[in-house]
């Protein structure tokens, strides 16, 4: 189901939140400066004609060159100076990052990229600058991923590469022994899908038995989380149970999987196709990442495709590239048979590989002992309670209410693009099994309009009211009043409600981050598609980047101001209007102890 113009997402993640600064901003500033500032008395780099020195009297003794002449002879290496300045800002960012000052670190990292992109030498004209740029953006992305795993990163959610992309790029030789064993085993395998062995399938059996073994094992382990749920839904929808291996091949059972073609979720739905099967998508949530909803949609879509083509191989091919491509191939050749279409080369290359990959995974999974996988143990099925909420609540608060790690709540609710439930629609919040009543009792102490900003704090030995207030950037008086405290002594193991100001939350006005993120356009991107991916209006994206129309040049760096959720609204948002949209890219003065930034860029949805 993925479009064929695949794009490299991982480059995009490296750019999001911390990446490339647009070159045209510098030129815009230069033009504005020319309009408003008086001409300088002397140009920055005077030429020999401008200097016009007074002729000196003839002399037999050579005259030493002037300072200006010496400078013109030995010009400094501008690229080296730019790199040194960028490195200095980047090192400052690392220092702040290690100290826990994430907002200050982000500002330093942005500044380092700006220095490279807005320097006196075009980054594309000097390999040293390009190398430095690649190094810095790669290192920034690594730090971002570490921060996210720690629960306090720059971005609220990071996608994962879809395994199908890697499998589609390999061409593996057929091992005659592997093929012969698979053919001998085939009659003993039970499946509700037609199974067969040919060179195409055997090549992928060889791949997943060797080089791709790690990918296969990881998917097999994760399958335990969702297997019971998937088989139940497939039975309810009346589709073959063994279509579960389509998800194993596509995503490795990763709800956050994102392919290069922007298919998303465990079942790799494109955005438009997902909407057609009831999968909602906004900057709050993406139902393609909800395992249960996406499974239901996938079952119905596969059933529709089978009803259209009357063949499961063609249905799977149409799932990959769209029914129109398969229908056109059948019409051109007159063959409604996948292998005939394969041989006649009328299907896209990715789609030709798609069915053999799924068949190979099915055959291996049904005979794990043959391939040395009988010792691999799948994870237990996910167990959770569902709480129906119609208010926004931060997952960090939910985690505090039920005494669970925030990562557990994130894993149970992968459709949330930010760690906050939607503001304007009901949501089925999943909490650890057995904790529904605990959550409902605890959350009752927090006013409904404060459930994004407020927190719970479990008192530890040695905690003081002063220290707790400082940690959450609130006052001792506010904490005392919210908890009816008498005095300042705190009993260990008790829980305190922490009132945190969120003046902008619930205002109904969309706020955008103060500092921009950058995205490098890929082949096939348009203004509308990028705007949809990041959850911002297309006209606002055009305004920020002074764009016209819908076309985007491959490689162009696009400025994006991230929309903020209620939980982010008091952490430095500004609403960008026409007059101010281009004035926010200058790196601000760094604070010594900045509040960690929680700005979040909607995960790329395809």
């Amino acid at each position: 189901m993925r479009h064929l113009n695949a794009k490299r997402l991982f480059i995009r993640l490296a750019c999001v939140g911390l990446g490339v600064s647009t070159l045209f901003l510098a030129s815009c500033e230069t033009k504005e400066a020319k309009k408003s500032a008086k001409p300088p008395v002397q140009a920055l780099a005077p030429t020999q004609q401008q200097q016009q020195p007074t002729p000196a009297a003839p002399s037999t003794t050579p005259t030493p060159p002037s300072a200006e002449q010496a400078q013109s002879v030995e010009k400094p290496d501008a690229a080296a100076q730019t790199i040194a300045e960028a490195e200095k800002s980047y090192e400052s960012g690392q220092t702040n990052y290690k100290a826990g000052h994430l907002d200050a670190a982000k500002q330093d990292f942005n500044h380092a990229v700006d220095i490279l992109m807005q320097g006196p030498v075009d980054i594309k004209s000097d390999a040293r600058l390009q190398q430095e740029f690649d190094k810095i953006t790669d290192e920034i992305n690594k730090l971002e991923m570490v921060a996210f795993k720690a629960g306090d990163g720059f971005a609220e959610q990071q996608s994962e590469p879809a395994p199908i992309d890697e499998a589609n790029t390999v061409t593996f030789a057929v091992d005659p022994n592997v093929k012969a064993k698979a053919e001998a085993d085939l009659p003993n395998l039970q499946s509700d899908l037609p199974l067969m062995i040919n060179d195409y399938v055997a090549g992928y059996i060889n791949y997943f038995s060797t080089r791709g073994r790690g990918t296969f094992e990881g998917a097999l382990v994760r399958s335990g989380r969702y297997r019971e749920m998937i088989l139940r839904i497939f039975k309810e929808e009346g589709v073959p149970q063994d279509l579960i291996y389509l998800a194993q091949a596509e995503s490795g059972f990763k709800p956050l999987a994102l392919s290069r073609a922007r298919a998303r979720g465990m079942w790799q739905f494109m955005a438009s196709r997902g909407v057609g099967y009831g999968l909602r998508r906004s900057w709050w949530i993406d139902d393609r990442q909800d395992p249960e909803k996406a499974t239901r949609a996938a079952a119905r879509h596969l059933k529709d495709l089978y009803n259209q083509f009357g063949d499961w191989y063609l249905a799977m091919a149409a799932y990959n590239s769209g029914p129109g491509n398969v229908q056109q191939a059948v019409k051109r050749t007159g063959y409604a048979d996948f292998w005939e279409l394969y041989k006649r080369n009328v299907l896209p290359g990715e789609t030709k590989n798609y069915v053999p990959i799924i068949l190979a995974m099915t055959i291996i999974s049904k005979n794990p002992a043959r391939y040395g996988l009988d010792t691999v143990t799948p994870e237990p099925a996910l167990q959770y309670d569902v709480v129906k909420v119609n208010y926004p609540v931060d997952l960090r608060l939910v985690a505090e209410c039920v005494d669970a790690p925030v990562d557990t709540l994130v894993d149970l609710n992968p459709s949330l693009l930010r760690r906050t439930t939607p503001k304007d629609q009901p949501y089925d919040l999943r909490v650890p099994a057995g904790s529904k009543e605990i959550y409902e009792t605890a959350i009752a102490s927090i006013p409904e309009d404060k459930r994004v900003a407020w927190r719970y704090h479990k008192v530890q030995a040695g905690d003081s009211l002063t220290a707790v207030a400082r940690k959450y950037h609130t006052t001792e008086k506010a904490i005392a009043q919210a908890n009816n405290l008498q005095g300042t002594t705190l009993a260990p193991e008790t829980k305190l409600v922490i009132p945190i100001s969120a003046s902008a939350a619930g205002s109904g006005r969309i706020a955008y981050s103060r500092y921009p993120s950058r995205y490098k356009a890929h082949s096939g991107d348009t203004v509308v598609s990028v705007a949809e991916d990041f959850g911002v209006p297309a006209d606002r994206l055009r305004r920020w980047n002074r764009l016209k129309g819908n076309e985007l040049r491959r490689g162009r760096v696009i400025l994006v101001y991230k929309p903020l959720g209620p939980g982010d609204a008091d952490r430095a948002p500004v609403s960008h209007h026409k007059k101010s949209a281009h004035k926010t890219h200058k790196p601000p003065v760094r604070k010594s102890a900045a509040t960690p930034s929680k700005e979040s860029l909607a995960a790329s949805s395809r």
Side-chain angles (χ1 to χ4, degrees):
M1 308 188 57
R2 289 154 296 137
H3 293 329
L4 305 175
N5 291 328
K7 308 167 201 160
R8 289 196 59 84
L9 168 74
F10 201 65
I11 296 177
R12 172 178 182 161
L13 290 178
C15 297
V16 169
L18 302 169
V20 191
S21 172
T22 45
L23 292 172
F24 72 84
L25 289 177
S27 65
C28 293
E29 287 186 342
T30 303
K31 292 177 181 179
E32 292 297 323
K34 288 180 179 179
K35 292 179 181 179
S36 59
K38 294 181 179 180
V41 176
Q42 183 180 1
L44 293 178
T47 63
Q48 293 299 324
Q49 288 80 1
Q50 289 174 317
Q51 292 176 358
Q52 295 180 346
T54 303
S59 172
T60 58
T61 303
T63 303
S66 65
E68 292 81 4
Q69 290 172 328
Q71 184 176 2
S72 67
V73 173
E74 298 180 7
K75 292 183 179 180
D77 188 340
Q81 289 182 344
T82 300
I83 291 172
E85 292 176 11
E87 278 288 323
K88 184 176 179 181
S89 184
Y90 173 66
E91 290 170 3
S92 176
Q94 287 184 312
T95 300
N96 276 307
Y97 181 91
K98 292 175 182 177
H101 304 154
L102 300 188
D103 191 56
K106 181 180 178 182
Q107 294 169 19
D108 285 334
F109 292 152
N110 272 337
H111 190 199
V113 175
D114 285 344
I115 289 171
L116 293 171
M117 295 298 292
Q118 299 178 12
V121 180
D122 186 343
I123 195 171
K124 297 179 181 179
S125 67
D126 193 301
R128 294 171 299 169
L129 288 173
Q130 186 65 57
Q131 183 178 3
E132 180 72 4
F133 170 79
D134 291 340
K135 184 196 81 171
I136 286 181
T137 53
D138 286 346
E139 288 301 314
I140 287 172
N141 185 65
K142 291 177 184 177
L143 294 177
E144 186 175 36
M145 292 297 291
V146 171
F148 168 73
K149 291 176 181 178
D152 206 11
F154 305 128
E156 290 297 335
Q157 186 191 80
Q158 297 285 350
S159 300
E160 302 177 71
I164 192 69
D165 283 337
E166 180 181 355
N168 265 318
T169 62
V170 302
T171 302
F172 229 73
V174 178
D175 185 324
N177 293 328
V178 171
K179 182 179 179 181
K181 290 177 181 179
E183 287 177 330
D185 294 336
L186 193 61
N188 300 319
L189 301 183
Q190 300 296 320
S191 177
D192 52 6
L193 283 177
L195 298 181
M196 67 173 297
I197 298 291
N198 56 27
D199 284 354
Y200 315 122
V201 176
Y204 277 108
I205 291 177
N206 191 22
Y207 168 71
F208 289 120
S209 301
T210 53
R211 176 176 152 190
R213 185 182 181 88
T215 299
F216 190 97
E217 287 188 1
L220 184 58
V221 169
R222 281 187 297 274
S223 69
R225 291 185 168 201
Y226 308 106
R227 184 176 182 83
E228 292 180 9
M229 176 270 293
I230 293 172
L231 297 183
R232 170 179 57 81
I233 290 177
F234 279 9
K235 183 177 181 180
E236 293 170 355
E237 296 295 333
V239 298
Q241 301 274 284
D242 284 346
L243 284 173
I244 188 174
Y245 300 112
L246 187 150
Q248 183 168 324
E250 285 267 22
S251 67
F253 298 105
K254 297 177 182 178
L256 302 186
L258 180 69
S259 77
R260 296 167 188 162
R262 293 186 182 179
R264 181 175 291 279
M266 199 160 67
W267 292 96
Q268 290 290 281
F269 270 98
M270 298 296 292
S272 57
R273 186 72 65 187
V275 170
Y277 284 89
L279 300 180
R280 297 172 300 174
R281 177 170 166 264
S282 68
W283 71 275
W284 290 99
I285 63 171
D286 194 326
D287 282 342
R288 293 177 294 168
Q289 296 181 177
D290 183 298
E292 189 158 347
K293 291 181 179 179
T295 297
R296 182 81 62 182
R300 292 175 178 176
H301 184 39
L302 285 164
K303 188 175 182 179
D304 289 344
L305 292 172
Y306 179 77
N307 290 336
Q308 178 177 352
F309 293 102
D311 179 274
W312 282 115
Y313 289 175
L314 291 179
M316 287 189 283
Y319 189 95
N320 174 256
S321 64
N325 283 326
V326 175
Q327 188 65 57
Q328 184 64 26
V330 171
K331 184 178 179 180
R332 284 175 58 190
T333 63
Y335 286 97
D337 177 87
F338 174 79
W339 300 111
E340 283 293 336
L341 301 180
Y342 188 111
K343 295 173 184 177
R344 294 169 186 273
N345 201 32
V346 291
L347 292 172
E350 180 180 306
T351 306
K352 289 172 63 177
N353 294 336
Y354 188 75
V355 172
I357 288 172
I358 295 171
L359 292 179
M361 281 204 160
T362 304
I363 291 168
I364 295 173
S365 298
K366 287 186 170 295
N367 194 7
R370 165 69 76 184
Y371 303 96
L373 296 167
D374 49 330
T375 59
V376 178
T377 304
E379 294 179 354
L382 288 180
Q383 302 292 331
Y384 52 82
D385 294 340
V386 176
V387 181
K388 294 186 179 294
V389 301
N390 55 7
Y391 50 80
V393 59
D394 193 295
L395 291 187
R396 288 162 291 190
L397 176 58
V398 177
E400 292 158 359
C401 286
V402 299
D403 280 329
V406 68
D407 286 345
T408 298
L409 275 301
V410 172
D411 286 344
L412 289 175
N413 298 276
S415 65
L416 293 179
L417 300 180
R418 295 164 174 77
R419 298 185 178 190
T420 305
T421 61
K423 171 185 175 183
D424 53 358
Q425 63 192 52
Y427 182 78
D428 288 343
L429 175 67
R430 297 183 177 105
V431 296
S435 65
K436 179 178 180 179
E437 292 184 4
I438 296 173
Y439 169 74
E440 291 178 333
T441 300
I443 201 67
S445 302
I446 307 290
E448 191 168 300
D449 63 340
K450 306 296 184 184
R451 292 175 183 175
V452 169
W454 286 25
R455 295 284 179 269
Y456 263 114
H457 174 78
K458 189 174 184 179
V459 177
Q460 306 295 323
D463 274 355
S464 68
L465 189 58
T466 301
V468 173
R470 185 181 302 117
K471 176 180 178 179
Y472 292 99
H473 305 281
T474 187
T475 66
E476 297 175 45
K477 181 179 179 181
I479 295 176
Q481 289 179 344
N483 295 275
N484 297 317
L485 295 179
Q486 303 296 324
T488 58
T489 302
L490 303 178
E493 300 303 313
T494 59
K495 279 191 172 183
L496 297 177
V497 173
I498 308 297
I500 301 174
S501 172
S503 57
S507 64
R509 176 176 59 87
I510 295 179
Y512 294 89
S513 60
R514 177 174 297 169
Y515 309 112
S517 296
R518 289 99 181 174
Y519 167 66
K520 184 183 289 184
H522 299 284
S523 188
D525 277 344
T526 65
V527 170
V528 171
S529 69
V530 172
E532 287 180 351
D533 288 343
F534 294 132
V536 299
D539 61 340
R540 192 175 287 269
L541 189 68
R542 290 189 185 95
R543 189 184 312 157
W544 291 334
N545 295 278
R546 298 188 178 179
L547 297 170
K548 294 182 179 179
N550 195 38
E551 299 297 321
L552 282 180
R553 187 186 74 253
R554 183 172 180 264
R556 169 146 190 183
V557 177
I558 303 301
L559 192 70
V560 181
Y561 291 90
K562 301 173 289 186
L564 301 177
D568 300 317
D570 61 341
R571 291 179 171 87
V574 293
S575 293
H576 293 282
H577 303 290
K578 289 183 179 180
K579 294 182 179 180
S580 61
H582 294 286
K583 297 181 180 180
T584 59
H585 70 285
K586 294 181 180 180
V589 178
R590 188 174 72 255
K591 298 180 181 179
S592 59
T595 303
S597 172
K598 300 295 179 185
E599 300 165 3
S600 57
L601 188 61
S604 311
S605 37
R606 302 185 330 172

